[in-house]
Amino acid sequence: MKRQGLLSATGILLLGLVMLMTLHEWDSTLPGQDNAVMQAPAIIADDVTARAFSEKDGTLQYHLTANNLVQFDHNPLTEMEAPVLVMANDKGSWTITSEQGTVEGDGNLITFFGKVNVDNPTQKVNLDTDELRFDSETNIATTPGDVEMTFDSGQTRAGALEADLDKGILNLKQGVKSEFEAPAS
């Protein structure tokens, strides 16, 4: 009887060992679905709010909200729907809105695309474009394509723009055309 109990215990241990080895080697993806796993999102969130603070003095650098956010494990990219970024400095408050957006790397590069609007009520400047890239480390915004700016006394169109939001300096490039209303004398 002892021999039969020993054989049963040995059989159960061997069966358990085979199961563990099988589970350890078992690939959880089905054949042909490796690409789907690599593209699957790691995080999906709705009504997202994020704040970034300056490493120098701890002040609020920008406040970012979005209707929803999708973040991926295998790609350092975060996609956003209807992002709104608000950044304030001594030149006023800048608000950037768009239909879509992405955040790359450590959050340093935020790209807005699809009907992008930038507004600064203090300086009475409004900007419209299809794509805008915001570097949060340097507070520089660039547009790789056409941009239209409207302000108190006129409007300006250009093929590209680079804006230093801290200094309030706008560099317009490629076919710049401005129209101004002359003040009444």
Side-chain angles (χ1 to χ4, degrees):
M1 271 310 213
K2 284 189 177 187
R3 189 178 260 185
Q4 197 172 25
L6 181 60
L7 287 175
S8 295
T10 305
I12 290 173
L13 284 174
L14 284 174
L15 180 62
L17 184 59
V18 168
M19 289 289 290
L20 283 175
M21 289 173 50
T22 303
L23 289 174
H24 180 70
E25 295 297 322
W26 187 18
D27 186 2
S28 61
T29 61
L30 297 173
Q33 293 204 350
D34 294 337
N35 195 29
V37 170
M38 295 297 279
Q39 294 177 353
I43 297 172
I44 298 173
D46 292 326
D47 298 322
V48 178
T49 298
R51 292 178 181 86
F53 297 90
S54 170
E55 290 183 13
K56 295 176 189 172
D57 57 8
T59 59
L60 181 65
Q61 188 176 4
Y62 65 82
H63 179 230
L64 178 67
T65 61
N67 286 354
N68 68 18
L69 173 140
V70 178
Q71 186 170 353
F72 300 90
D73 264 344
H74 304 292
N75 183 354
L77 179 73
T78 301
E79 297 175 351
M80 300 175 291
E81 184 180 310
V84 176
L85 181 133
V86 178
M87 184 201 96
N89 59 21
D90 60 347
K91 306 295 183 206
S93 175
W94 294 92
T95 302
I96 304 170
T97 61
S98 69
E99 294 173 340
Q100 303 291 321
T102 60
V103 179
E104 296 179 46
D106 293 334
N108 298 334
L109 179 61
I110 304 170
T111 303
F112 300 88
F113 51 93
K115 294 186 182 182
V116 180
N117 181 269
V118 181
D119 188 49
N120 183 325
T122 304
Q123 294 184 357
K124 299 179 183 176
V125 175
N126 189 283
L127 181 141
D128 290 307
T129 188
D130 291 330
E131 181 178 338
L132 181 123
R133 298 174 186 151
F134 174 68
D135 184 330
S136 65
E137 285 188 349
T138 61
N139 284 337
I140 292 180
T142 58
T143 64
D146 293 342
V147 61
E148 182 177 328
M149 292 176 41
T150 55
F151 36 92
D152 237 3
S153 60
Q155 66 181 11
T156 299
R157 291 184 180 94
L161 168 132
E162 181 177 295
D164 186 326
L165 300 178
D166 285 337
K167 296 177 183 175
I169 298 173
L170 302 174
N171 293 317
L172 301 169
K173 305 170 187 175
Q174 304 171 5
V176 179
K177 181 180 177 184
S178 292
E179 298 173 4
F180 293 93
E181 294 179 19
S185 44

